[in-house]
């Protein structure tokens, strides 16, 4: 089954073509092309995503991103019709996300589906992040999809959620952030440190040269008997520390120590909550996804925390951690294969506040 997938929920305009076999669901999904046009340079000027700028750029770029995805999948401009005939469905992110951004992708996908007569599969962006772990992008022979049940930790710029996934599209939410998402906290702390948007990768780099124990930042909710998260207090703690450090801030080492100490506080909370959930539910298949999952120090911390148990840890390839259409195609493939209720075309719409069912 071949799916053309579209993702425009935030500031990445992405189109992918993926393929999966309904006879061999455990092999995961293969990526034929995954074109991501990142709008970061436009938003960086403003220190964060500007919704109006995002939707305008989706509109400007989506046609060329689609064309590039078709070309990279091996079709040229002479046989675009053959390509359209060869796909089985079109998938699109319907939410959650920025309403103007979602509207561009959903409108575009509907027009394509209408013109080609292909079915349209609506995809929840958060489920898309989870299914990034079902992509064997590099045809890795050792590749294996996570087996159920597993714990899913979604850590992105917009979300921080811990879920227990019993089966495809069957899950319970164990906990989530009560305020900022992890990626958002990285970006806001980065802004305080004078870094440009998005600051996550830059904080990670600086942290390699810093001492994670230099500043004793709080580990919010770490001792609480639940699986919720909170990062706004940690962000404020960094702000107050910065205020008291004014004279030293020119020193690169201080910035590196602040970055490392902040990052360590975040990692400690994420690891500890996931470990607690693993112990409580006796589930040691851990599936991490979302932009922050690209962080190498975090990956190492999970590996070391779970090294004593017979745990299986899953992280997507770096390029599949941040927003991309391949993960949307993967989620669509499994939702199609597992007989998710078909939604009539007329009911598919941009849903900015869509959550997990
Ligand atoms: O998944 P994503 O593209 O966005 C949402 O769906 O929300 O994730 C983007 C977020 C940004 O906040 C970015 O700073 C963070 O992921 N991020 C990182 C790293 N790479 C991206 N955070 C920490 N370390 C990284 N290496
Ligand atoms: Zn995302």
């Amino acid at each position: 089954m071949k799916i053309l997938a579209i993702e425009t929920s935030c500031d990445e305009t992405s189109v992918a073509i993926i393929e999966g076999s309904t006879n061999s669901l455990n092999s995961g999904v293969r990526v034929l092309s995954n074109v991501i046009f990142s709008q970061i340079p436009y938003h960086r000027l403003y220190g964060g995503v500007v919704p109006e700028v995002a939707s305008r750029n989706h509109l400007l770029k989506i046609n060329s991103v689609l064309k590039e995805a078709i070309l990279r999948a091996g079709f040229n401009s002479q046989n675009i019709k053959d390509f359209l005939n060869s796909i089985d469905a079109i998938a699109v992110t319907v939410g959650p996300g920025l309403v103007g951004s979602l509207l561009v992708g959903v409108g575009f996908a509907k027009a394509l589906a209408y013109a080609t007569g292909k079915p349209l599969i609506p995809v929840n962006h958060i489920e898309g992040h989870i299914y990034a772990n079902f992509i064997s992008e590099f045809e890795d022979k050792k590749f294996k999809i996570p087996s159920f049940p597993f714990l899913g930790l979604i850590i992105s710029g917009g979300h921080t959620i811990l879920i227990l996934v019993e089966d495809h599209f069957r899950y319970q939410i164990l906990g989530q952030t009560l305020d900022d998402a992890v990626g958002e906290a990285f970006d806001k702390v980065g802004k305080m440190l004078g870094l440009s948007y998005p600051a996550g990768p830059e904080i990670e780099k600086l942290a390699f040269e810093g001492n994670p124990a230099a500043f004793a930042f709080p580990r919010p909710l770490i001792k609480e008997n639940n699986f919720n998260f909170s990062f706004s207090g940690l962000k404020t703690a960094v702000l107050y520390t910065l205020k008291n450090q004014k004279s030293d801030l020119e020193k690169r080492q201080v910035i590196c120590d602040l970055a490392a100490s902040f990052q360590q506080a975040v990692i400690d909370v994420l690891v500890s909550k996931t470990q607690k959930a693993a112990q409580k539910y006796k589930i040691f298949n851990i599936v991490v996804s979302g932009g922050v999952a690209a962080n190498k120090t975090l990956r190492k911390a999970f590996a070391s925390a779970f090294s004593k148990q017979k745990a299986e840890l899953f992280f997507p390839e770096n390029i599949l951690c941040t927003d991309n259409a391949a993960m949307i195609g993967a989620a669509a493939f499994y939702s199609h294969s597992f007989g998710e209720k078909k939604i009539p075309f007329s009911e598919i719409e941009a849903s900015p506040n869509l959550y997990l069912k």
Side-chain angles (χ1 to χ4, degrees):
M1 180 183 194
K2 198 191 279 181
I3 297 178
L4 170 70
I6 297 166
E7 154 66 37
T8 63
S9 66
C10 190
D11 61 344
E12 261 92 30
T13 316
S14 180
V15 177
I17 297 152
I18 64 97
E19 198 166 43
S21 162
T22 41
N23 295 325
S24 123
L25 294 169
N26 288 344
S27 310
V29 155
R30 239 166 33 88
V31 178
L32 305 183
S33 65
N34 183 27
V35 178
I36 304 166
F37 171 75
S38 170
Q39 300 180 8
I40 284 173
Y42 303 101
H43 299 287
R44 187 167 274 159
L45 303 171
Y46 306 97
V49 178
V50 182
E52 165 66 22
V53 173
S55 46
R56 204 175 327 144
N57 279 293
H58 284 311
L59 209 49
L60 289 173
K61 289 290 171 191
I62 191 136
N63 259 315
S64 53
V65 171
L66 168 67
K67 247 190 210 159
E68 182 66 27
I70 294 175
L71 293 180
R72 286 197 205 166
F75 291 81
N76 61 40
S77 47
Q78 265 84 56
N79 58 13
I80 283 186
K81 263 201 180 140
D82 293 345
F83 164 74
L84 290 172
N85 282 334
S86 78
I87 57 171
D88 299 286
I90 293 164
V92 65
T93 303
V94 290
L98 301 171
V99 66
S101 292
L102 290 166
L103 274 170
V104 176
V106 172
F108 191 77
K110 276 191 159 188
L112 269 178
Y114 189 71
T116 55
K118 305 286 175 182
L120 182 61
I121 306 174
V123 176
N124 180 314
H125 181 82
I126 305 172
E127 291 178 350
H129 273 301
I130 302 167
Y131 277 89
N133 281 290
F134 287 70
I135 297 176
S136 67
E137 194 187 23
F138 304 101
E139 297 194 46
D140 180 348
K141 295 234 163 38
K142 283 187 301 209
F143 173 79
K144 131 175 206 251
I145 60 168
S147 47
F148 297 98
F150 63 76
L151 292 176
L153 178 69
I154 302 115
I155 40 177
S156 70
H159 307 279
T160 304
I161 311 174
L162 183 61
I163 55 178
L164 193 170
V165 185
E166 289 146 14
D167 204 341
H168 288 286
F169 305 98
R170 267 193 33 224
Y171 36 70
Q172 323 170 25
I173 295 172
L174 303 180
Q176 56 193 312
T177 183
L178 304 176
D179 39 59
D180 290 356
V182 198
E184 189 183 354
F186 266 94
D187 294 340
K188 287 180 177 165
V189 164
K191 206 169 185 178
M192 293 174 200
L193 298 177
L195 310 176
S196 57
Y197 170 84
E202 194 64 23
I203 290 191
E204 177 180 16
K205 253 190 241 157
L206 293 170
F208 282 127
E209 296 172 46
N211 172 8
F215 297 93
F217 289 134
R219 270 70 174 153
L221 309 187
I222 201 164
K223 296 220 164 84
E224 301 254 320
N225 207 11
N226 60 44
F227 301 111
N228 288 331
F229 304 91
S230 163
F231 296 103
S232 75
L234 171 58
K235 191 182 65 188
T236 311
V238 178
L239 182 68
Y240 282 120
T241 307
L242 268 173
K243 280 192 174 151
N244 296 332
Q245 292 285 324
K246 259 199 178 111
S247 55
D248 280 345
L249 274 184
E250 282 83 63
K251 290 189 194 144
R252 183 178 158 80
Q253 192 53 50
V254 177
I255 299 284
C256 292
D257 287 347
L258 282 163
S261 303
F262 161 75
Q263 179 178 269
Q264 195 55 51
V266 169
I267 292 174
D268 284 353
V269 173
L270 294 173
V271 167
S272 157
K273 294 266 170 175
T274 310
Q275 263 192 320
K276 263 188 206 162
Q279 302 291 357
K280 176 168 177 185
Y281 296 99
K282 310 264 175 295
I283 294 176
F284 295 93
N285 288 334
I286 316 288
V287 175
V288 188
S289 55
V292 182
N295 188 293
K296 290 190 193 67
T297 312
L298 175 136
R299 290 181 182 221
K300 266 196 194 148
F302 269 86
S304 126
F306 282 95
S307 62
K308 289 196 189 78
Q309 292 104 348
K310 264 200 162 173
E312 284 212 76
L313 295 177
F314 296 85
F315 288 91
E317 295 290 336
N318 266 5
I319 190 70
L320 300 173
C321 285
T322 42
D323 291 348
N324 67 89
M327 68 186 195
I328 302 304
F333 170 72
Y334 283 98
S335 95
H336 183 272
S337 306
F338 282 88
E340 279 278 282
K341 189 167 79 50
K342 303 279 174 294
I343 301 172
F345 194 83
S346 59
E347 285 177 27
I348 297 177
E349 54 186 24
S351 314
N353 299 319
L354 185 70
Y355 200 54
L356 293 175
K357 297 169 261 142

